[in-house]
Amino acid sequence: MRIIITFFTLLIMMIDSNLAAASDIEGVRLYRSPDRTRIVLDLDDSIDHKMFVLESPARVVVDLADADLKTNFDSIKLDVTPIDRIRTGKRGKNHLRLVFDLKEEVNPKSFTLAANERYGNRLVIDLYDFRVPVSKSLSDIIKTDNRSIVIAIDAGHGGEDPGALGPGKILEKHIVLKIAQYLKKLFDEDPDFSGLLVREGDYYLALRKRTAIAQRYRADFFLSIHADAWTSPSARGASVYALSTKGATSETAKFLANRENRADLIGGAGSINIRDKSADVAAVLLDLSMTATLGSSLTAGEYILKNIGSLTRLHKKRVEQAGFLVLKSTDIPSLLIEAGYISNPQEARKLSTPEFQKKMALAIYSGVVQYYLDHPPPGTALSKNLSKRQFIYIVERGDTLSEIAASYKISVSRLTSHNKLISQQIRVGQKLMIPTK
Ligand SMILES: [Zn+2]
């Protein structure tokens, strides 16, 4: 009898606490991307919410049922967003109202995300701009004749999804964005190439959105930049991966593909439905067109791997293959580059220095350029400039890089990057290509 009473007491307590349990809003983050402002509320439980728009003055209202505010919005920077002010207030006994006073009208969307390995329950509010700022006009890039080769550079993760975590709070998303920015600069400085940054700041982009951006700008090549993590801190080295339409070439490749593919779950892609029928059909069609580009991906990957190999230790000495989602939805030759192991304290330290980030960018750039010098696409400026790019200076005794650069009225860095030089040391008899721009 005593046991039964205890059981009932426990049951009543459980029901009682369930009824009273409000969901606490424990934190808030804001990410600005080119087309929207994302507000993420961290919750300790699931939540019911309602969102609507009010006009004159324009505002978005979010009503949260059974919610307690355990944080404040004071530290959130609103200066580059359409939000003027965020107000909160109690409604009735348990409900909470958030009001976003707006500087301009937005198109709001909201959804909840269940807890995962990185975060608890979340409510995501996306405020889409009506005027999407375009970082580069299409007509600038897309020319039919004498066009530059467009390299889409995708810095992995971002925003809600930090990627791999290294010692000392080093985050993959920050390191890969830096490498991507250096890489874009190298391509932009090259008269025959043009760099396109897929992710331009600290925000999340769904995996399929990343390739959609590359396709929109008719990129010739898609490079996704990452930094690896492994349970053992001794794992190290850079690797280059291509898509596999069959299976993974190694367990590491398979493990990595699984982890990178989970980014959409962590980053909150929102309305993605992979089981969608038409998406499945589209994927099959894309798989077919991809087999044609896979050969180019693997060949270019070897050039890149060779250059990275002269800079840092390689994890695997050949281009590996696995089913990466970010490489899957494109008919553009594409590679995923892991710049090193962020979980290895030594490599993490190296990866977070601008010097190494620049060298990594230079190695990737050099690999891509060497690949295209051997495989120039018809109609591109490169195919016409091949002979000019081959203009050669033979180093003589007593020459220095800075003197050679000065005599051709170009910068040392331009000469270094053009010749894919990892260091500034030159030797007598060495052939240097002189850039034409
Ligand atoms: Zn990654």
Side-chain angles (χ1 to χ4, degrees), residues 252-267:
T252 316
K254 192 169 147 193
F255 170 87
L256 190 70
N258 282 337
R259 215 199 38 220
E260 299 295 2
N261 290 347
R262 279 210 310 276
D264 269 354
L265 296 174
I266 296 166

Side-chain angles (χ1 to χ4, degrees), residues 51-212:
M51 184 173 72
F52 53 95
V53 178
L54 292 173
E55 279 162 24
S56 42
R59 55 211 193 271
V60 169
V61 179
V62 181
D63 279 338
L64 304 160
D66 292 320
D68 258 339
L69 191 62
K70 293 280 164 74
T71 181
N72 63 60
F73 295 84
D74 299 346
S75 58
I76 301 293
K77 286 201 183 80
L78 300 173
D79 43 349
V80 289
T81 73
I83 306 166
D84 189 30
R85 197 160 61 126
I86 305 174
R87 292 180 285 134
T88 60
K90 276 261 168 211
R91 288 196 81 225
K93 221 173 130 201
N94 303 320
H95 303 319
L96 185 73
R97 170 166 283 190
L98 301 180
V99 181
F100 298 91
D101 291 320
L102 302 169
K103 290 180 267 193
E104 57 196 87
E105 284 185 24
V106 296
N107 185 10
K109 288 200 175 84
S110 66
F111 56 94
T112 53
L113 290 170
N116 61 36
E117 69 249 47
R118 197 145 269 167
Y119 294 108
N121 286 280
R122 286 160 292 164
L123 171 64
V124 180
I125 300 156
D126 280 336
L127 307 176
Y128 285 87
D129 299 66
F130 280 110
R131 271 169 309 198
V132 178
V134 177
S135 58
K136 212 163 191 181
S137 91
L138 274 174
S139 55
D140 283 350
I141 293 180
I142 303 162
K143 286 186 283 176
T144 43
D145 194 32
N146 228 16
R147 66 177 187 89
S148 53
I149 296 170
V150 179
I151 309 295
I153 308 153
D154 170 46
H157 313 277
E160 270 292 272
D161 171 21
L165 308 168
K169 290 189 183 157
I170 294 170
L171 302 180
E172 177 184 358
K173 66 172 180 177
H174 294 318
I175 286 175
V176 296
L177 182 61
K178 282 273 183 267
I179 297 174
Q181 285 165 338
Y182 290 129
L183 195 50
K184 176 190 161 53
K185 193 164 172 280
L186 287 169
F187 282 118
D188 282 349
E189 282 171 358
D190 190 312
D192 300 326
F193 289 86
S194 192
L196 167 72
L197 268 191
V198 173
R199 169 165 82 81
E200 294 177 295
D202 187 17
Y203 51 84
Y204 188 73
L205 279 171
L207 297 177
R208 280 178 193 271
K209 179 90 187 273
R210 293 172 193 252
T211 41

